[in-house]
Amino acid sequence: PDPLAGPGAMAARILHRLRHALAGEGGREERVHGGCEAEDFPESSELEDDTEGLSTRLSGTLSFTSHEEEEEEEEEDEEGAGEELGEPPQPTGAAASAEDGGRCWGRCAGVARAATPWGDPSDEWGPAAERPGGSLLTRQLQELWRKSRGSLAPQRLLFEVTSASVVSERSSKYVLYTIYLIRSGRFDKAPAAIARRYSDFERLNRRLRCRFGCDMASIAFPRKRLRRNFTAETIAKRSRAFEQFLSHLHSIAEIRRSPEFLEFFFLQDLQTAQRLTCTGMYREALATWANAYRLQDRLGVCSSGRFLLTLAGLAVCHQELDELGEAHGCCEQALQLLEAQGSHPLLGPFLQAHVHLAWKVGKDKRRSEARLQDLREAGPPLQQQPTLKECLIKEPLE
């Protein structure tokens, strides 16, 4: 035999394996990009079929693992890694909206940042990105981030289930889901959060379907189950479904502005804060009023009567806790909202509170005094009007 045949054949085999390795790496990169889209745009059947499993990783924030599943999951991580990064399903219906695009991008960008700990992503990813040892996947994600950061319209509001806990009461047991409302592209110092159970979501779904039957026809909702309601798989799947459910609702303007949708988020907080204020628990009430304020701010309803009531609650609690500067600021914000209104049940009480607080903190009170004088000439004596605290306590919240 030819003595050169051995080395030549070996070189050919090495080249052949190298080509296959490069092709495999490219396939994995495509699957990684596809994985982001698949995670954000699941097929509607995934929400309707309770027999199918769901990945325990949700948006990078929530993870459930039961003890009896740990060994099985470890095996799947080793053997089924390629399946998790498979071809993504095509988005359909409301899931293909532009708002969902911002959410998918946020996760992709997070993957790129996690893969490049050596520099700021806005600094062209640093010189280390061009090192010979850098992976092709990382470079492609960097390029994707640079091209997309100016072209993708950010989603205005994201709904993220950050935790879920099983609650056992005297005669019932249920799962309580904590959902954060996050404004895409902005940093919120304090989160706006709600805690809701399945029955709360089901009530919202039922009320909206009665009023918006056509719009709700294409929106999936996870159905009830007779068993396995407290397994990690069911809780994780429902968490994912509730995120998508709220995102779909928020994408429809008529539903987004409806009382049913809005009250689902902040009515419970308002009722709790009112009850705490009436019982003199001002510190606890202040935290609840503040969360209701943030929820209404995220939802874009900062000119409603409920928002004015929230400002009244904040002002009263701050004043009772001797935080006069903060109380004065709440009154000023409320009076700015009431600027164009000649009459409002809360206008007189806010003006009186503002004048009193402005005198306490040494601020200008002349404009409020002039508006009070106008009210005095146009209506009944202000002495007969309730104070801000009395308005807050008497306001029915149903």
Side-chain angles (χ1 to χ4, degrees):
D2 188 351
L4 297 179
M10 182 178 296
R13 286 196 299 272
I14 292 175
L15 181 60
H16 179 72
R17 290 178 182 177
L18 180 59
R19 289 174 178 171
H20 277 277
L22 291 176
E25 185 175 3
R28 286 193 299 272
E29 290 157 9
E30 293 177 1
R31 291 194 296 268
V32 167
H33 290 295
C36 175
E37 185 177 356
E39 186 177 351
D40 277 288
F41 304 120
E43 293 176 339
S44 59
S45 61
E46 182 183 70
L47 303 182
E48 299 171 355
D49 187 0
D50 288 332
T51 63
E52 294 295 329
L54 179 69
S55 171
T56 57
R57 182 172 58 83
L58 299 177
S59 309
T61 58
L62 183 64
S63 179
F64 300 95
T65 304
S66 58
H67 294 294
E68 63 270 16
E69 295 173 349
E70 287 181 353
E71 296 181 0
E72 183 179 351
E73 288 177 357
E74 289 177 358
E75 294 178 359
E76 290 176 357
D77 289 341
E78 294 176 0
E79 299 176 2
E83 297 179 1
E84 185 179 353
L85 301 178
E87 289 298 325
Q90 294 299 319
T92 59
S97 64
E99 293 184 1
D100 283 337
R103 179 174 177 183
C104 178
W105 166 240
R107 293 174 185 168
C108 290
V111 172
R113 293 188 187 97
T116 57
W118 51 78
D120 188 344
S122 61
D123 187 23
E124 295 299 314
W125 299 94
E130 301 178 359
R131 294 182 299 183
S135 68
L136 182 61
L137 170 61
T138 298
R139 290 197 298 273
Q140 288 195 352
L141 285 174
Q142 294 164 4
E143 184 65 25
L144 173 64
W145 185 85
R146 284 196 294 267
K147 290 180 178 179
S148 302
R149 59 181 175 178
S151 60
L152 286 177
Q155 182 176 343
R156 292 182 300 170
L157 195 62
L158 304 176
F159 301 92
E160 296 286 349
V161 176
T162 58
S163 65
S165 57
V166 178
V167 179
S168 297
E169 293 182 345
R170 299 174 185 174
S171 59
S172 64
K173 183 179 179 181
Y174 58 89
V175 179
L176 195 64
Y177 300 87
T178 299
I179 303 103
Y180 277 21
L181 279 68
I182 304 169
R183 287 180 293 199
S184 178
R186 298 181 61 180
F187 174 73
D188 293 323
K189 294 181 180 179
I194 60 174
R196 300 289 183 269
R197 51 192 291 185
Y198 179 90
S199 58
D200 296 321
F201 284 98
E202 185 183 37
R203 187 180 305 109
L204 173 65
N205 179 60
R206 185 171 61 251
R207 293 179 67 190
L208 290 177
R209 289 188 188 279
C210 289
R211 183 176 175 186
F212 304 100
C214 294
D215 291 324
M216 294 292 295
S218 61
I219 298 179
F221 186 79
R223 64 173 179 259
K224 283 185 177 181
R225 300 187 58 151
L226 298 178
R227 59 187 181 86
R228 294 178 58 83
N229 284 295
F230 303 104
T231 64
E233 179 185 5
T234 300
I235 295 174
K237 185 169 186 176
R238 280 187 174 173
S239 300
R240 176 90 169 267
F242 289 148
E243 285 183 349
Q244 189 186 52
F245 176 68
L246 294 177
S247 296
H248 288 182
L249 295 179
H250 189 262
S251 68
I252 302 174
E254 292 78 8
I255 295 179
R256 183 171 64 239
R257 293 191 291 262
S258 67
E260 294 85 354
F261 180 76
L262 295 173
E263 290 176 357
F264 169 81
F265 289 95
F266 55 78
L267 182 58
Q268 289 186 21
D269 272 9
L270 293 180
Q271 293 171 334
T272 302
Q274 185 185 49
R275 183 173 63 252
L276 292 171
T277 305
C278 293
T279 56
M281 302 178 67
Y282 299 112
R283 182 63 64 185
E284 294 81 357
L286 180 62
T288 311
W289 286 119
N291 189 61
Y293 178 100
R294 291 190 294 269
L295 288 169
Q296 293 172 83
D297 176 53
R298 305 297 190 275
L299 293 166
V301 287
C302 294
S303 60
S304 66
R306 294 287 171 82
F307 189 71
L308 287 170
L309 188 68
T310 304
L311 288 172
L314 289 170
V316 168
C317 291
H318 278 305
Q319 185 172 0
E320 294 291 340
L321 295 169
D322 203 28
E323 300 168 351
L324 303 183
E326 289 82 355
H328 177 264
C330 292
C331 290
E332 281 200 330
Q333 185 177 357
L335 291 176
Q336 289 175 2
L337 294 173
L338 292 168
E339 184 72 29
Q341 300 190 32
S343 63
H344 189 279
L346 290 175
L347 179 57
F350 267 120
L351 285 171
Q352 293 185 89
H354 185 260
V355 170
H356 174 73
L357 291 167
W359 178 76
K360 287 279 189 179
V361 299
K363 299 288 186 178
D364 185 13
K365 61 183 188 300
R366 289 173 295 180
R367 178 169 175 77
S368 293
E369 288 176 332
R371 295 181 70 182
L372 272 174
Q373 182 63 31
D374 294 339
L375 283 179
R376 191 174 290 115
E377 295 174 355
L382 292 179
Q383 289 78 8
Q384 299 178 5
Q385 292 191 3
T387 64
L388 201 58
K389 186 176 181 179
E390 289 172 344
C391 289
L392 183 68
I393 294 173
K394 294 178 181 179
E395 178 69 21
L397 290 174
E398 299 176 355

